Each structure stands twice: as C-alpha cells, then as structure tokens.
Amino acid sequence: MASSAPPLKFPSSLFPSTKKRREFLDLPSIAPVGKSWKPSTVVVAGINGHPQINGSGALRVAFQGAPGAYSEFAAKTACPACATIPCRAFADAIAAVERGRADRAILPVESTMEGTALRNYDLLLRHDLRIVQEINLFVHYCLLAMPGVRPGELRRVISHPMALAHCGRALSQLGLRREPVEDTAGAVEMLRSNHLLDTAAIASPRAAVLYGLDVLAHGLQDESWNVTRFLLLSKTGTRPPQKPAGAGLKTSLVIAHRGGSMIVLLKVLSAFSKRNINLTKLEVINSSNEGEAPVMILDVRGKGSLRAFPHVLYVDFEGSTDESKVKEAIDEISSFSVFVRILGCYVADHNVYDLQ
Ligand SMILES: O=C(O)C(=O)C[C@]1(C(=O)O)C=C[C@@H](O)C=C1
C-alpha cells in the first residue's frame, strides 16, 4: 500500500457526545452558568434572570459577522426580543447605529484568555456612542466540518483570529493549517457555500445546527474557562439608568494624561479609593514610543473632533455618574488630566451566560 500522510490525531477528550440543538432562533436555553467572572479584581452579587433593555421591544442590534456568530448570541442574550442585523465589520455595526439603521451595536471588548480587545476600544473611542449594557458570554468552541467528513480528511481550519488564538494548543495537536477569516459563523458559511471537504471551521455548536454541519470536537479552547465580555452601544442613553433591585451600576471612563510617570496613575487610584469607589477594570495604554500610534478619541464635548493621546487609562468602576462621590472623583481626575470622557453608565451584570 502506498504510504500516505499519517492520520490526524484527535485527542479523545475533545469528543464528548454531541447533542444537536435546534432552538437557535428563540434561544430559550441561555442561562447564567453560575460562576462570576472577575475581569480584574472585583465582583459583587450576581443578578438573576436575563437583562433586557426597556423590558423588551424589538430593538435592532447590529453585530459583526454572519448569523450564528458569538456576537449575535451575545446580542440575543442581552435583549432576547431583539432583531439582529449582521454586518461585515465592527465599524459597520457602529455605522448602522449612527445612521439609524440599528438601535444598538454589540462589541466584544475583553476576554479571559486575551484580555482587552484594544482594536474594539479604539472603535468605541472614535465614535459618539454610549455603553448601555454589558454581557459576559461563555465561549465554547467546536470543530465543525461538512456532513460526513472524517477528521483524517481535514488539512486546514478557518475561523476568526481570536477563535484560532484561543484554540492554539488543540489546533497544534491536530496539525491543521490555520487561516483567519472575518468571523466564526462566516467561516461556517464559507465551508457550506464552497463545499470545502478538507477544511474545518471553529465556531459555536449553534452555528453547526444553523448551517447543518457536523460537530467533530467540543471544547477546543485552551482554557476551559473562556468568557468574552461584550458591550451594547447606543446613540441615546446619556442618563444613567435606574438602579434595579439587587444590582449595582457601573461606569466606564477614558482618561488621557501627559504620562511620563506613575504619579498620574496613583492620583487616579487615590481619587477613587478615598471615596471608596471600587474599580472593576484598569487598563494602562502608553504609546509614546516611536512608531506607536497614539489613541484617537472623539472629543464629544469639544468640537466633535478626533484628538490624539499617547497616554490613556481605561477605567470601569462601580457607581453611577448621578452619585455625588462619583462626580467629585471625576472632577478631581479632570483637574490633573488632559481629557476625560464618560463612555457609559449601565447596570453591572456579573453573570456569565452559556449557550449550551
Ligand atoms: O466571530 C465571532 O463569532 C464573533 O462574535 C467575534 C469574536 C471576537 O471578536 O472576539 C467574539 C467572541 C469569540 O471570542 C470569538 C470571536
């Protein structure tokens, strides 16, 4: 017999039984997985039930990707009654809101495996949209292939770059060539429409059901605890929401400063700590080295122009911009920094939602 390439080895742990589900469109099975995600240091009590904007209403939520992308699941989880609008890129989802074709855009902004998605923070800062809701989604990756394709026939795997990065170890074990595409569900659609028999896609189990593909392996992510935090953005929503019973509010800020020392950082921390305001996220961006692009922020209060800042802090904290201690902290920070913009004030949701 002629020698051929050794068969691909699929670790047995990647093959639990597959229970196909068909409830994608109404998503009845989304539920909190009962574990709080700590993006940095702080977690307060969880909120029960699904968060919704204004109770229900057919909100139009723009997301990046094809139907079945994780961002769409996040949108449906945040607002179960919404109509989702697929967009080619995150920038298109934002433009859809700006032009009135959608009421909200959804953006993934950080993940437990990769940290802050700076590319999406950049987008957020360049536009005049407000954060009105947060949602944490458990991201469970599967290896999908055309019906009947056997693992040994696969040579290549396509998916969103983040999904390929999150599954690096499993993909190295499988020895598949990796090729990035725009989103996970788009990869599945590509397999289907081009009838690719040597290619697998990494996407959700629901995308497999939606496009009629086989799930060859489950739980491909390198870390079993893989959560992505999404933000829902709106053109309206400049007022803080009512604080629901049993939940708190959260505010996101971007602070630009002259940099050059740790003193600004310490002053920011002190402005919060002396008022007993708890931070839930702190990201320090210094891009003053040659060749590094500064952070571009839309000055929504000033002339509405984009301004370049090499030193920026992203801060999320517990509290509302209606509280006097929060107002005082922001005033104090504004007195020694170059620029401060409130990105949004919204209900803090510490639940993590699972699609399974
Ligand atoms: O491609 C998708 O399905 C997306 O929703 C995008 C995205 C991301 O950009 O991080 C969202 C969550 C997963 O981590 C993988 C990809």
Side-chain angles (χ1 to χ4, degrees):
M1 208 165 83
S3 70
S4 57
L8 296 167
K9 278 208 175 114
F10 276 63
S12 56
S13 62
L14 297 179
F15 288 97
S17 63
T18 306
K19 196 166 118 218
K20 287 201 175 181
R21 310 186 72 120
R22 304 209 167 267
E23 65 273 47
F24 165 72
L25 286 174
D26 50 1
L27 295 177
S29 63
I30 289 180
V33 292
K35 185 169 168 183
S36 286
W37 173 35
K38 302 182 183 185
S40 49
T41 50
V42 181
V43 162
V44 281
I47 312 163
N48 295 321
H50 300 311
Q52 292 198 355
I53 292 176
N54 303 330
S56 62
L59 280 174
R60 299 161 302 166
V61 183
F63 68 98
Q64 189 236 23
Y70 291 98
S71 300
E72 186 183 36
F73 297 139
K76 285 273 189 185
T77 310
C79 324
C82 73
T84 47
I85 303 174
C87 297
R88 199 189 53 78
F90 289 118
D92 298 329
I94 287 182
V97 177
E98 289 178 327
R99 292 179 193 148
R101 286 190 291 108
D103 305 299
R104 306 279 188 270
I106 193 150
L107 278 193
V109 289
E110 61 187 300
S111 72
T112 46
M113 288 183 67
E114 297 287 319
T116 300
L118 291 176
R119 60 203 155 100
N120 287 343
Y121 263 95
D122 277 353
L123 265 179
L124 178 60
L125 300 181
R126 284 166 179 262
H127 295 267
D128 187 10
L129 296 186
R130 286 283 177 132
I131 303 168
V132 291
Q133 195 172 345
E134 66 174 345
I135 187 95
N136 299 316
L137 193 73
F138 185 84
V139 175
H140 173 91
Y141 292 116
C142 295
L143 193 71
L144 312 184
M146 288 293 286
V149 166
R150 281 171 293 121
E153 294 163 343
L154 295 171
R155 294 289 170 267
R156 173 173 84 135
V157 59
I158 57 176
S159 197
H160 186 279
M162 196 57 84
L164 294 173
H166 287 171
C167 303
R169 214 162 38 228
L171 294 179
S172 299
Q173 276 179 289
L174 299 174
L176 300 176
R177 202 173 71 246
R178 301 164 210 188
E179 283 179 26
V181 295
E182 277 173 355
D183 69 286
T184 58
V188 178
E189 199 176 40
M190 210 177 280
L191 284 198
R192 184 91 248 180
S193 52
N194 295 297
H195 202 75
L196 300 175
L197 300 178
D198 66 344
T199 305
I202 295 178
S204 70
R206 286 178 188 275
V209 173
L210 197 62
Y211 294 87
L213 294 202
D214 284 351
V215 177
L216 297 185
H218 272 279
L220 236 63
Q221 60 272 12
D222 291 347
E223 306 281 339
S224 58
W225 184 239
N226 183 29
V227 176
T228 295
R229 176 175 178 238
F230 293 84
L231 297 177
L232 211 59
L233 310 177
S234 167
K235 222 162 40 167
T236 52
T238 46
R239 299 281 320 126
Q242 288 281 352
K243 192 168 107 47
L249 297 182
K250 211 166 160 181
T251 301
S252 296
L253 275 191
V254 60
I255 301 162
H257 60 96
R258 290 196 178 79
S261 78
M262 292 297 276
I263 289 174
V264 180
L265 180 58
L266 293 175
K267 281 182 172 174
V268 169
L269 294 178
S270 141
F272 287 114
S273 81
K274 69 181 162 208
R275 295 177 178 92
N276 222 6
I277 299 173
N278 216 356
L279 300 195
T280 56
K281 176 182 177 68
L282 174 64
E283 184 85 30
V284 180
I285 311 288
N286 284 314
S287 53
S288 51
N289 296 334
E290 219 179 87
E292 282 180 326
V295 179
M296 303 299 293
I297 307 179
L298 186 73
D299 185 351
V300 287
R301 285 217 180 143
K303 293 183 188 128
S305 55
L306 274 180
R307 295 174 64 186
F309 299 106
H311 306 282
V312 161
L313 303 175
Y314 300 127
V315 183
D316 288 354
F317 59 87
E318 289 170 1
S320 148
T321 44
D322 270 351
E323 284 174 64
S324 51
K325 66 175 184 178
V326 168
K327 285 184 189 152
E328 283 166 21
I330 294 175
D331 282 349
E332 184 177 325
I333 292 166
S334 304
S335 72
F336 58 78
S337 52
V338 183
F339 176 81
V340 175
R341 188 175 132 195
I342 297 166
L343 300 174
C345 180
Y346 44 95
V347 175
D349 188 348
H350 300 291
N351 287 317
V352 175
Y353 295 89
D354 191 4
L355 294 168
Q356 290 297 297

